[in-house]
Amino acid sequence: MRHDLPDGYEVADLTGPVRPTALWGFGAQWSAEPPQCGLLADPVVDPASTNGWSGSGTGGIVYAVVAESAAGLDPAVTAECGQWELSAGQASGTVSLTAAPAIENAETVAMATVTTTVVEGGTETHSHADTVTAYLDGHVAFVTVVTDPGSPHPQLGADFTAALMVKTVAALRG
């Protein structure tokens, strides 16, 4: 799926367990409000099976990750978590469910996250992320695109994220 990135992107393999929360700028010690909504950003996976890549360029940073999982998407959680809060240390954010792509024989959820981090001297940095997660065939796959709202360059958006997820699932299924 790396060939679907715009021209000029640098690509690297990801190693170790990777979760959407980490890609959104939240460390290991984050909390969600309400707590059950955190499951949407921290899918249950076999950490040893995590495989993926990242690509960075002027339109943002793209992550594509897949891992083995026996878990599915809980419809009760998605029904309760149309919008929720996430925090860790100096970072806070709002997560909103958005339209997820329909993928045959897969459960999908899409989220838009707006994060604010307070850095030295009280300066705030802002980022935006679009994430689509698919639960399928004993796996969880997610694609996240992180962008800088203040960038002078055109940013990749939710449509790119959704399209890359559809292609990722097709590639995973062979």
Side-chain angles (χ1 to χ4, degrees):
M1 301 319 317
R2 299 173 191 206
H3 63 277
D4 287 306
L5 292 172
D7 290 339
Y9 266 66
E10 294 180 25
V11 178
D13 290 332
L14 293 175
T15 58
V18 179
R19 304 271 201 266
T21 51
L23 304 178
W24 298 343
F26 298 91
Q29 302 298 321
W30 55 269
S31 63
E33 186 56 45
Q36 68 272 20
C37 298
L39 292 172
L40 297 173
D42 190 18
V44 177
V45 300
D46 172 5
S49 70
T50 302
N51 192 358
W53 53 264
S54 67
S56 59
T58 59
I61 304 170
V62 179
Y63 300 92
V65 178
V66 64
E68 294 175 6
S69 176
L73 181 62
D74 185 344
V77 172
T78 56
E80 296 171 4
C81 298
Q83 186 169 350
W84 49 283
E85 304 297 318
L86 194 61
S87 62
Q90 301 295 89
S92 62
T94 301
V95 182
S96 301
L97 296 189
T98 60
I103 300 174
E104 189 174 338
N105 297 319
E107 300 169 304
T108 58
V109 62
M111 298 167 276
T113 306
V114 177
T115 303
T116 300
T117 304
V118 179
V119 295
E120 299 162 6
T123 302
E124 294 182 353
T125 62
H126 303 277
S127 67
H128 175 88
D130 291 300
T131 299
V132 177
T133 304
Y135 297 80
L136 67 150
D137 310 325
H139 292 86
V140 169
F142 65 88
V143 172
T144 296
V145 176
V146 180
T147 57
D148 174 0
S151 175
H153 303 287
Q155 303 293 291
L156 299 174
D159 55 340
F160 177 86
T161 309
L164 189 59
M165 173 51 74
V166 170
K167 293 175 182 178
T168 299
V169 168
L172 181 63
R173 289 180 169 163

